[in-house]
Amino acid sequence: MSLRFCNLVLRKCLRCPAHVHVAAQVENASLFLNTGGGGVGRLRITGQIGLHFTPVCYIASKAVSGTLIKSTATETHDRLCHHPASVPPDNDDHEALMVNHPDQPADSKILKVAIIGAPNAGKSTLSNQLLGRKVFAVSKKVHTTRTRAQGIFTEDNTQIILLDTPGLTTPSKMKRHQLERSLLVDPGNSVQEADLVLVLVDVSDKWACTKLSFEVLKCLAQNPNIPAVLVLNKVDLLKCKSRLLDITTELTEGVVKGKKIQVRSAVKPLPKRGGQDRQVAVAKPDGKPQEGGVSELEGRDSDSPANLPEAPVGNSAPRVLSRQELRILRARHGWPHFQDVFMLSAVEAEQVEALKRYLVIGAKPGSWQFHSSILTDQNPQDICINTVREKLLEYLPQEVPYNVSQTIELWQEGDQGELEISLKLNVKKEGHMKMLIGQAGQMIARIAQEAGKDLMNVFLCDVKLKISVKVKK
C-alpha cells in the first residue's frame, strides 16, 4: 500500500509527456500544422503526410514551430514540475508583496497577455490552467468574470502577466441586463495595455465558431499594432475534428501571419481502437487532390480584406474607426492578421503547455512588474467572494445568483493556523433564501464545502468557511 502511495506521489511530481508531436508543412505556405504536446515525431502514410487531430494543435510559422518543438524536446521525463505560487491568506501580507520590489534577474523578460472573447468562451479556465492554480472563478453561466484581474506566473527569468477580462458585450445588453460598466470597458483597456492578444473561440458553439463577434473585431481593429493569436478552445467537445480546418480558415479569412492557408484534406477513418473511430486529415505535399472525395480548404487571397490597414510596427494609440470601417467589420467573419493559431482544450493542463511555451518564448527583455512570489493582483477576500459566487452560479437557477450580494463578517487566523471565514449572503426575496439554504440546509452546506476546498488550494492552508443567509430588502 505504501509503495502504491509513493508511486502515485512520484507520478504527480514528475512531468511525463503523453502525446507524440507530429508536424507537417501546410501546402504552399511557410506555416506548420502541429499536433500533440510531448516528444517529436513525423508520421508518413504512403508518401502523404498524415495529420492526426489530437486535442492540442497549432498553426505557426516554421521558425516558431521549430522553437516550440526544440523547447518541448528538451523537457526530460525526470524534470520536476514547476510549482506555481500561492496567495497569502492575510490581506496585509498580500499588500506587502504587491509593493515589494520585483526580484528580477539581470536578463529579465516580460510579456503582458490580454485574453479576450465572447462570454463563456473559457477565458478564465485558460488563465487558471496557465497559472497552474485556480484563482479565477469559472462557471457555465455567462458573465462569471465581472471585472478585469491579473494573473502572474514567473518562470526562470521570464514573467508573464495574464489580463483575464470579462466576456465582450454590447452597450444595449449592458443596459438591458443592468450589467456593470466594467464588462464593457475592461476588455478594451486590457488590449491597449497588452503586448499580445489571445482571442479565444469556443468551437463547440456552432454559432460562435463560424464568425468572430463584432466586439472582438472592433477591439482588434482599434489596436492593429498589437499582435493577436487565435485560440480555438473546447476542441474535445467537437465530434468531427476535421472541422477545425474549416473553422480556422473562416476565422482567419484564410491568412495567418501574412501567408495564405492552402490545405487539401480528406477525412478517413482509422481502425477502431476501444470502440471509437479515429480520424485523420490527409494533406498531399504535391497539392494534387486525393482520390475518393477530397474536400479542399483553400485560403482566400491575402489582399481580399484590404479595406483595413496592415498592422504597423511599434506602439501607437488606439485607432478611431470611421463609419465605413465599422460597416466593413460588421460584414466580416474573421481577422486576417493573426500571427498564429492554437487548438486545445483549456481544461487539460498538458494541452495548454504548448501555448504556455509559446508565451514564454515570446517574452521580450524588460523589467518585471511583480515579485516572483505573486500569483494574482486580487486580494484574498476578493478571491473568496468570487469563489463563492462561482458556486452560486453553478447551483442556483436563472437570475437568482446575480441578485445575491456578499458581506465578509469574519476573516482571521485560528489557533492552529487555519483560516476562519464567516460570510453572509444577502438576498432580496424569501424564496431565494429558501433556494440557497436548500432542504435541511444541504445546498448552503454544499456551497460552503466546495468553496472551502477551492480556497484551500489557493491559500495552501486549512480553511473553515461558514456561510449564513439573510433577506435584505
Side-chain angles (χ1 to χ4, degrees):
M1 187 70 180
S2 60
L3 287 175
R4 290 178 59 189
F5 175 76
C6 291
N7 182 43
L8 180 62
V9 171
L10 287 173
R11 286 177 61 189
K12 288 186 176 181
C13 291
L14 296 177
R15 184 186 300 275
C16 299
H19 298 299
V20 175
H21 188 102
V22 182
Q25 190 169 4
V26 179
E27 179 196 354
N28 297 333
S30 58
L31 299 174
F32 274 67
L33 172 59
N34 303 271
T35 67
V40 181
R42 187 178 296 272
L43 175 64
R44 292 187 179 274
I45 305 176
T46 63
Q48 301 166 357
I49 303 176
L51 302 177
H52 175 57
F53 280 93
T54 55
V56 53
C57 319
Y58 53 88
I59 297 178
S61 64
K62 184 176 181 180
V64 172
S65 177
T67 306
L68 283 173
I69 294 172
K70 183 178 179 181
S71 174
T72 306
T74 56
E75 292 187 4
T76 58
H77 288 268
D78 58 351
R79 179 181 175 183
L80 292 176
C81 289
H82 175 76
H83 294 285
S86 61
V87 178
D90 184 76
N91 274 327
D92 293 336
D93 292 342
H94 181 263
E95 291 177 4
L97 276 177
M98 291 293 293
V99 299
N100 199 6
H101 189 72
D103 54 339
Q104 62 188 27
D107 58 342
S108 61
K109 296 182 180 181
I110 189 170
L111 186 72
K112 296 186 72 173
V113 183
I115 304 177
I116 65 172
N120 234 17
K123 298 178 292 297
S124 295
T125 302
L126 179 61
S127 297
N128 288 333
Q129 205 65 262
L130 288 168
L131 294 174
R133 204 176 296 281
K134 185 179 177 182
V135 296
F136 300 119
V138 176
S139 80
K140 296 179 181 179
K141 290 188 173 70
V142 297
H143 301 312
T144 303
T145 302
R146 314 295 283 191
T147 59
R148 189 191 78 168
Q150 296 184 91
I152 303 99
F153 72 86
T154 305
E155 188 173 299
D156 298 329
N157 66 334
T158 303
Q159 185 169 93
I160 308 296
I161 301 175
L162 303 176
L163 308 177
D164 186 45
T165 63
L168 285 161
T169 187
T170 62
S172 59
K173 289 181 180 179
M174 184 187 73
K175 184 177 181 180
R176 186 188 316 139
H177 300 293
Q178 298 180 342
L179 301 173
E180 297 94 327
R181 181 170 172 76
S182 58
L183 275 76
L184 190 64
V185 300
D186 280 2
N189 292 340
S190 297
V191 171
Q192 294 172 22
E193 297 176 21
D195 304 312
L196 178 71
V197 179
L198 298 183
V199 178
L200 212 62
V201 174
D202 177 4
V203 296
S204 68
D205 186 333
K206 63 180 181 180
W207 304 112
C209 72
T210 57
K211 184 181 187 300
L212 293 177
S213 69
F214 170 73
E215 289 73 28
V216 170
L217 289 171
K218 182 180 177 182
C219 211
L220 294 173
Q222 287 176 330
N223 302 274
N225 59 305
I226 302 174
V229 172
L230 178 64
V231 179
L232 304 182
N233 189 27
K234 306 184 184 181
V235 298
D236 55 320
L237 302 180
L238 195 65
K239 293 182 179 180
C240 183
K241 297 298 187 290
S242 62
R243 282 207 62 224
L244 290 171
L245 293 174
D246 296 280
I247 294 171
T248 300
T249 304
E250 191 72 25
L251 298 184
T252 62
E253 296 191 353
V255 179
V256 177
K257 207 166 188 174
K259 301 289 184 179
K260 288 175 57 178
I261 301 176
Q262 292 184 324
V263 180
R264 304 176 188 271
S265 63
V267 177
K268 287 189 174 184
L270 287 182
K272 291 187 177 181
R273 178 182 297 176
Q276 295 182 348
D277 286 334
R278 298 168 61 207
Q279 291 184 326
V280 153
V282 180
K284 292 204 70 174
D286 56 5
K288 296 179 181 179
Q290 169 84 8
E291 294 182 1
V294 177
S295 61
E296 285 191 7
L297 292 180
E298 292 280 354
R300 303 175 186 174
D301 292 339
S302 58
D303 57 351
S304 62
N307 297 294
L308 289 176
E310 294 289 338
V313 179
N315 295 327
S316 62
R319 293 185 65 248
V320 178
L321 303 178
S322 65
R323 290 185 179 180
Q324 182 181 1
E325 288 175 324
L326 291 175
R327 283 197 299 269
I328 293 171
L329 285 179
R330 291 187 185 278
R332 297 176 76 164
H333 285 198
W335 181 251
H337 305 302
F338 284 118
Q339 297 297 302
D340 298 294
V341 181
F342 284 80
M343 309 171 191
L344 49 81
S345 174
V347 297
E348 297 294 337
E350 286 187 0
Q351 297 179 21
V352 179
E353 188 63 27
L355 177 59
K356 189 173 183 177
R357 294 295 99 214
Y358 178 87
L359 298 179
V360 171
I361 292 169
K364 304 299 182 184
S367 300
W368 290 357
Q369 293 190 8
F370 298 95
H371 193 274
S372 61
S373 59
I374 293 178
L375 185 65
T376 178
D377 65 342
Q378 300 175 98
N379 66 52
Q381 294 190 4
D382 285 341
I383 294 176
C384 176
I385 289 174
N386 289 331
T387 301
V388 173
R389 186 170 178 275
E390 171 191 308
K391 306 307 174 186
L392 297 176
L393 288 167
E394 185 172 351
Y395 293 120
L396 297 181
Q398 299 176 353
E399 81 287 350
V400 177
Y402 298 100
N403 294 308
V404 179
S405 61
Q406 302 180 43
T407 305
I408 295 179
E409 298 184 321
L410 177 68
W411 188 286
Q412 68 178 20
E413 184 179 350
D415 297 335
Q416 299 181 358
E418 73 278 10
L419 178 60
E420 296 179 353
I421 305 173
S422 179
L423 186 73
K424 180 186 289 183
L425 302 179
N426 304 301
V427 297
K428 298 179 180 180
K429 299 179 181 179
E430 293 280 350
H432 292 177
M433 183 178 71
K434 292 179 180 179
M435 288 183 189
L436 263 172
I437 296 174
Q439 187 176 4
Q442 291 181 356
M443 177 60 72
I444 197 68
R446 183 178 186 179
I447 291 173
Q449 182 182 17
E450 294 191 7
K453 287 182 178 179
D454 286 352
L455 294 175
M456 287 174 62
N457 293 329
V458 174
F459 300 138
L460 295 186
C461 69
D462 290 333
V463 176
K464 292 183 178 180
L465 176 61
K466 296 180 180 179
I467 301 180
S468 59
V469 186
K470 181 180 179 181
V471 177
K472 188 177 182 180
K473 297 183 179 180

